[in-house]
Amino acid sequence: MSGEYVVSGTLIYGEELEAREGYVAIAGSKISEVGFERCDSDIRGIVCPAFVNSHTHLGDSIVKDPPFMPLVELVAPPGGLKHRILSAAGAGAIAGGMRSSLEVMRRTGTCHCIDFREGGAEGARLLREVAGPRATILGRPAPGDSVEAVLAAADGIGISSTRDLPPGAAEDIAEKTKKAGKIIGIHAGELNRDDIDTAMDIMPDFLVHMAQAVASDIRRAADRGIPVVACPRSNAMTGVGLPPLKKMHDAGVTLALGTDNVMLDSPDMFREMEWTDKLLVHDDASVLRMATLNGARLAGLKKGAILPGMDADLIVFDAKSDTFKSSQNLISTVVRRAGPGDIGYFIHEGKVCRNSSRKF
Ligand SMILES: [Zn+2]
């Protein structure tokens, strides 16, 4: 088949993330075959699924690292710092910021993000123009916009919180989104528990944050099969407290990871994984799954695992890098220690990009 090539070395294989010697054959944008015989190829290394960042706000890339201040003053619509800056910014400046953040994501091994996009249908179209298929775009109606107009321009809806909407509005949005066969995500339990029950009532495709979740919330999310996207660095930055991820994990809640507002945190999944693992979860494979397959499934994507038929979105780490020398467990090293400097090649939908900052 034309354009077919092979990547070999130690594969972090399948849904169980088994480290096995082998090869991945890539045809076009897909993984066409995975085998476990020794195979020589030009591209060799530690082959890992590329990351899926399950929660971003790329639109606020135009303002970075504001002073520490309470969450409401930072990001609450409509008067928070973020919204004041966004409403004063032109589309060109916003698009330029989003482009830079997408480049940071590419250099740090992320193939796709799920973005909560402000600015109504127009805002969703702007991100589509900049990101193409690299983002799942969950828009929200701007004043004067209908839910239908946003759904026509986006992959679904991202609600800031049920507390920002009049009674019944979240249910109406959820019904329209599901009817259109699109995705609905919602922030819940970031500042307090007030919006957790109402968020779960609409049966969203996923909740974001749940930093304030208590045992009954965790049980309800697990029983209803509602996944949670955690953003622990963002929660630390805004001072709301860290989410009880170990309890959620042990209760069987499906977890994914996001870096949240670019204004607050770099969209670098290595940093998010290390924080999450060492502070909260202490389970390397689960955290790597949160950063890959679990996120991909939220967006209905065939990404996040090295298996035939999946999109060929791969990080090939340099096995000879000083970071991987003396590693006792490759998955632990990827999650707790590795960084963008250890990436030899990044493969996005079959296209190979060599890390030009490394010397081979
Ligand atoms: Zn958010």
Side-chain angles (χ1 to χ4, degrees):
M1 192 179 292
S2 72
E4 187 158 344
Y5 63 96
V6 168
V7 175
S8 64
T10 307
L11 314 183
I12 299 179
Y13 169 72
E15 294 190 17
E16 297 308 313
L17 303 172
E18 256 178 286
R20 295 183 68 171
E21 291 304 304
Y23 67 87
V24 181
I26 294 168
S29 63
K30 297 280 180 191
I31 295 174
S32 55
E33 188 186 328
V34 179
F36 302 105
E37 303 89 61
R38 174 152 180 107
C39 168
D40 283 323
S41 65
D42 290 340
I43 302 177
R44 282 189 65 77
I46 298 159
V47 189
C48 177
F51 306 131
V52 174
N53 187 338
S54 295
H55 189 59
T56 57
H57 296 256
L58 293 179
D60 60 24
S61 302
I62 50 167
V63 51
K64 286 178 182 154
D65 307 317
F68 289 99
M69 61 171 81
L71 179 68
V72 172
E73 290 174 35
L74 268 173
V75 297
L81 174 72
K82 162 190 170 132
H83 296 280
R84 293 202 307 276
I85 291 171
L86 281 180
S87 59
I94 293 175
M98 295 195 295
R99 219 170 266 120
S100 297
S101 292
L102 286 160
E103 182 58 19
V104 170
M105 288 199 273
R106 188 182 67 77
R107 286 180 183 276
T108 52
T110 293
C111 62
H112 195 89
C113 66
I114 303 174
D115 193 81
F116 272 25
R117 182 74 191 100
E118 290 90 358
E122 200 48 53
R125 278 193 286 271
L126 185 65
L127 179 54
R128 179 67 73 220
E129 232 176 88
V130 173
R134 292 175 62 194
T136 293
I137 302 170
L138 305 186
R140 69 178 69 150
D145 252 342
S146 66
V147 176
E148 288 81 358
V150 177
L151 285 171
D155 301 301
I157 302 282
I159 297 179
S160 63
S161 161
T162 50
R163 84 166 72 81
D164 300 330
L165 296 171
E171 287 78 357
D172 178 56
I173 292 172
E175 200 186 313
K176 287 174 174 159
T177 306
K178 288 174 191 175
K179 210 166 156 194
K182 299 207 169 185
I183 300 165
I184 184 158
I186 183 164
H187 293 129
E190 184 178 15
L191 187 60
N192 55 47
R193 286 191 58 248
D194 290 358
D195 57 358
I196 292 180
D197 278 338
T198 46
M200 281 202 254
D201 286 346
I202 67 167
M203 285 299 291
D205 292 291
F206 60 89
L207 302 158
V208 181
H209 290 305
M210 293 290 273
Q212 316 303 332
V214 298
S216 57
D217 303 322
I218 295 171
R219 209 168 33 247
R220 196 167 170 219
D223 289 348
R224 294 186 159 210
I226 305 175
V228 171
V229 177
C231 311
R233 284 187 307 150
S234 166
N235 299 148
M237 172 69 202
T238 57
V240 297
L242 295 172
L245 287 189
K246 184 76 182 162
K247 288 181 182 159
M248 291 189 212
H249 175 261
D250 293 349
V253 177
T254 299
L255 297 171
L257 267 190
T259 59
D260 207 8
N261 299 78
V262 178
M263 177 173 89
L264 307 178
D265 292 295
S266 152
D268 176 346
M269 292 294 279
F270 287 110
R271 290 184 177 202
E272 204 69 45
M273 286 196 302
E274 184 177 1
W275 263 69
T276 302
D277 200 20
K278 290 178 177 172
L279 275 171
L280 296 167
V281 179
H282 282 201
D283 182 328
D284 307 312
S286 290
V287 171
L288 185 54
R289 220 173 279 116
M290 288 166 70
T292 53
L293 186 62
N294 291 3
R297 282 183 170 156
L298 293 183
L301 302 168
K302 296 203 85 174
K303 296 181 186 290
I306 297 178
L307 288 167
M310 287 284 196
D311 290 345
D313 287 315
L314 303 168
I315 298 168
V316 185
F317 290 107
D318 177 4
K320 295 193 185 76
S321 88
D322 291 312
T323 297
F324 283 97
K325 265 183 204 161
S326 311
S327 169
Q328 300 296 300
N329 180 317
L330 290 179
I331 291 162
S332 307
T333 302
V334 167
V335 173
R336 299 185 207 166
R337 186 181 297 270
D342 302 305
I343 297 176
Y345 299 88
F346 179 61
I347 299 173
H348 182 233
E349 295 196 341
K351 292 189 193 72
V352 180
C353 181
R354 188 169 174 161
N355 184 349
S356 56
S357 66
R358 284 194 64 79
K359 295 203 171 18
F360 289 86

